[in-house]
Amino acid sequence: MPRFEWSKPYRRRSLYRRWRPWLFGWNSIFPVMLLVTVGQFYTEGAVTWPDSLMRSADGFARSAYAQFNSQEVSDLSAEAVEYRISRIVDGDTVYMKDGTKVRLYGIDTPERDQPYGKQATRNLDKLGGRTVFVVERDTDRYGRLVGTLYTPEGVNVNLEMVCNGSAWWYSRYAKNNRAMASCQDDAKEAGLGLWADGDPMPPWEWRRR
């Protein structure tokens, strides 16, 4: 039995040192994940953070890929105008800080009260960020600027919304856009986003109900 040395002060292990691995180490990951999962289920009625995390990672990877390939905005179009986003109205409409209201060209997303409507709005917010470049296509009957949004890295936001299953290709107004058509086919086949529902109702039909 080891002798107790009275010459050395008794040092009791502090609570901080005892819990430090669980607060700041790898051990803390699983409790935090559990906490976030329970909290989101309690507040929103569904657990969506893993999907959001994967989409964010996918968006980051696509942005990095675009940057690696030197897709600069200056190469897109001399008509691309820089804007600062003020508010996301829904998945296909945004307000800019100068008051311009932009309707995304070639896509139609679920309405806010429609299944997947809120998720589409959040996905546009993640893709667009705060600064975007807009190539004007037209002005609609409501006076909105209809255009294609690009990130500072050169990512086509309109196309990405279709590719990740957040929007329909609006073939009525973008008939010859084969990239959108191909993206929609791939998203539908993979069951991404709104296509997870076997037979989602297009927003133009939802609005006529």
Side-chain angles (χ1 to χ4, degrees), residues 84-89 93-97 99-102:
R84 293 277 295 173
I85 293 178
S86 171
R87 182 167 64 90
I88 306 291
V89 179
T93 309
V94 298
Y95 271 112
M96 303 302 180
K97 286 189 179 293
T100 303
K101 191 174 185 180
V102 178

Side-chain angles (χ1 to χ4, degrees), residues 145-161:
L145 185 157
V146 179
T148 302
L149 272 59
Y150 294 91
T151 68
E153 297 78 24
V155 176
N156 185 326
V157 175
N158 302 38
L159 182 61
E160 285 301 310
M161 288 290 285

Side-chain angles (χ1 to χ4, degrees), residues 11-194:
R11 295 181 180 177
R12 187 176 182 179
R13 195 179 183 191
S14 68
L15 286 176
Y16 170 74
R17 291 182 61 193
R18 191 179 304 172
W19 289 98
R20 183 170 56 184
W22 291 96
L23 293 173
F24 304 108
W26 288 102
N27 295 337
S28 65
I29 293 178
F30 295 106
V32 169
M33 290 171 60
L34 179 62
L35 215 64
V36 171
T37 301
V38 172
Q40 188 176 50
F41 182 80
Y42 180 77
T43 56
E44 300 181 17
V47 179
T48 60
W49 71 264
D51 180 65
S52 301
L53 185 64
M54 292 302 296
R55 291 188 186 283
S56 298
D58 179 68
F60 176 80
R62 288 177 185 273
S63 297
Y65 177 79
Q67 189 172 13
F68 179 77
N69 284 279
S70 301
Q71 289 181 297
E72 300 296 336
V73 173
S74 58
D75 295 335
L76 297 174
S77 172
E79 300 175 355
V81 179
E82 183 177 356
Y83 285 93
R84 293 277 295 173
I85 293 178
S86 171
R87 182 167 64 90
I88 306 291
V89 179
D90 53 33
D92 53 40
T93 309
V94 298
Y95 271 112
M96 303 302 180
K97 286 189 179 293
D98 66 352
T100 303
K101 191 174 185 180
V102 178
R103 173 66 164 80
L104 273 65
Y105 166 78
I107 71 171
D108 202 3
T109 60
E111 299 297 322
R112 291 183 68 88
D113 59 342
Q114 187 177 351
Y116 207 77
K118 293 180 180 179
Q119 290 93 324
T121 303
R122 287 197 294 265
N123 291 342
L124 176 59
D125 190 21
K126 291 175 185 175
L127 275 171
R130 295 299 94 188
T131 301
V132 292
F133 290 80
V134 181
V135 176
E136 183 175 355
R137 299 276 186 167
D138 199 359
T139 301
D140 68 10
R141 57 180 177 172
Y142 303 108
R144 298 176 298 186
L145 185 157
V146 179
T148 302
L149 272 59
Y150 294 91
T151 68
E153 297 78 24
V155 176
N156 185 326
V157 175
N158 302 38
L159 182 61
E160 285 301 310
M161 288 290 285
V162 178
C163 291
N164 66 28
S166 298
W168 272 265
W169 164 45
Y170 212 170
S171 57
R172 177 181 176 185
Y173 296 102
K175 295 180 180 178
N176 299 319
N177 197 314
R178 303 315 305 165
M180 284 191 178
S182 177
C183 256
Q184 178 165 290
D185 289 342
D186 292 344
K188 189 174 182 179
E189 184 177 351
L192 298 178
L194 61 89

